[in-house]
């Protein structure tokens, strides 16, 4: 089917929300967080969903949420949780309907940004947290690499990254490009 806009994938702290909102605003299409769609479909927040209904239910709703966005919107910038990529079927759905951009940065910068967002948990056991983060990056890299575009935000200002993202993905945000 036609491309529905742009999906941003990557770990926490890669800049998905900041850059996603920026792109959506510049192009004039909605910015949607998949996690919020999942919460709406579940009728509870993610934390509750995990503790009450478990990982399986979450994964099922995650798939439903992707389908929901794909069916109910012409064009969006969609921010996706970092772990979705390990769910083959769901990720394939994303890849086939969205111009998918992997926002990547190095582990140190991820950590700094997450801490800057006010989450000090990684600090309590910093070495371990850093090791875990590097491991997750390594595990997910092959999946993340399947994206249409890899945008490395390490050492870039938001301005610089936003500009590159805009240049590379703007044409996937407009229906007319697809002869609709």
């Amino acid at each position: 089917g036609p491309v529905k806009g742009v999906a941003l994938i990557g770990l926490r702290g890669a800049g998905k929300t900041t850059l996603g909102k920026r792109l959506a605003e510049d192009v004039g299409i909605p910015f949607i967080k998949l996690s919020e769609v999942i919460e709406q479909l579940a009728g509870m927040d993610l934390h509750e969903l995990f503790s009450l209904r478990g990982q399986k239910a979450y994964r099922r709703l995650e798939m439903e949420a992707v389908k929901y966005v794909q069916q109910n919107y012409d064009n969006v910038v969609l921010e996706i949780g970092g772990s979705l990529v390990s769910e083959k079927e769901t990720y394939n759905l994303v890849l086939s309907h969205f111009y998918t951009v992997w926002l990547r940065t190095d582990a140190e910068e991820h950590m700094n940004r997450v801490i800057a967002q006010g989450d000090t948990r990684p600090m309590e056991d910093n070495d371990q947290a850093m090791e875990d983060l590097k491991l997750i990056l390594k595990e997910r890299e092959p999946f993340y690499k399947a994206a249409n575009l890899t945008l490395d935000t390490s050492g870039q200002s938001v301005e610089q990254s936003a500009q590159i993202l805009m240049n590379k993905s703007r044409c996937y945000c407009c229906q007319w490009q697809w002869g609709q």
Side-chain angles (χ1 to χ4, degrees):
V3 170
K4 288 289 191 169
V6 175
L8 301 177
I9 60 170
L11 290 180
R12 237 180 107 197
K16 289 178 299 195
T17 309
T18 309
L19 294 172
K21 281 183 172 163
R22 187 71 161 276
L23 178 64
E25 218 166 85
D26 288 349
V27 184
I29 60 177
F31 171 73
I32 293 175
K33 284 185 161 195
L34 193 66
S35 58
E36 289 174 2
V37 180
I38 295 169
E39 290 181 338
Q40 281 169 346
L41 292 174
M44 58 182 86
D45 69 36
L46 292 188
H47 185 69
E48 258 181 307
L49 175 59
F50 267 110
S51 53
L52 292 176
R53 294 174 60 189
Q55 171 100 6
K56 250 196 165 104
Y58 172 78
R59 291 301 178 195
R60 204 173 51 244
L61 281 160
E62 186 177 54
M63 173 64 119
E64 271 179 45
V66 173
K67 287 181 175 161
Y68 178 88
V69 173
Q70 181 230 324
Q71 287 159 7
N72 290 281
Y73 290 91
D74 279 341
N75 243 314
V76 297
V77 175
L78 181 64
E79 176 191 318
I80 285 175
S83 64
L84 177 143
V85 297
S86 47
E87 295 297 308
K88 196 173 183 282
E89 220 186 319
T90 311
Y91 190 33
N92 282 339
L93 192 66
V94 170
L95 290 170
S96 60
H97 290 289
F98 297 89
Y99 180 74
T100 306
V101 180
W102 172 24
L103 293 178
R104 70 171 297 172
T105 187
D106 55 45
E108 284 74 15
E109 195 144 347
H110 269 296
M111 200 59 98
N112 293 339
R113 290 178 191 174
V114 169
I115 292 162
Q117 287 166 12
D119 188 346
T120 52
R121 277 173 312 189
M123 281 309 282
E124 284 151 31
D125 189 3
N126 204 337
D127 292 343
Q128 188 52 52
M130 192 59 99
E131 283 314 300
D132 292 349
L133 186 60
K134 285 180 173 159
L135 194 66
I136 291 174
L137 269 171
K138 210 176 126 169
E139 271 172 14
R140 290 189 191 155
E141 187 148 0
F143 302 116
Y144 285 146
K145 276 192 168 134
N148 302 97
L149 172 70
T150 297
L151 175 53
D152 197 329
T153 64
S154 313
Q156 302 244 37
S157 68
V158 169
E159 276 311 314
Q160 289 167 315
S161 297
Q163 199 51 57
I164 298 168
L165 181 61
M166 181 69 173
N167 293 344
K168 300 268 190 195
S169 58
R170 125 187 332 130
C171 61
Y172 299 97
C173 299
C174 320
Q175 289 302 88
W176 57 264
Q177 289 286 353
W178 297 93
Q180 296 286 294

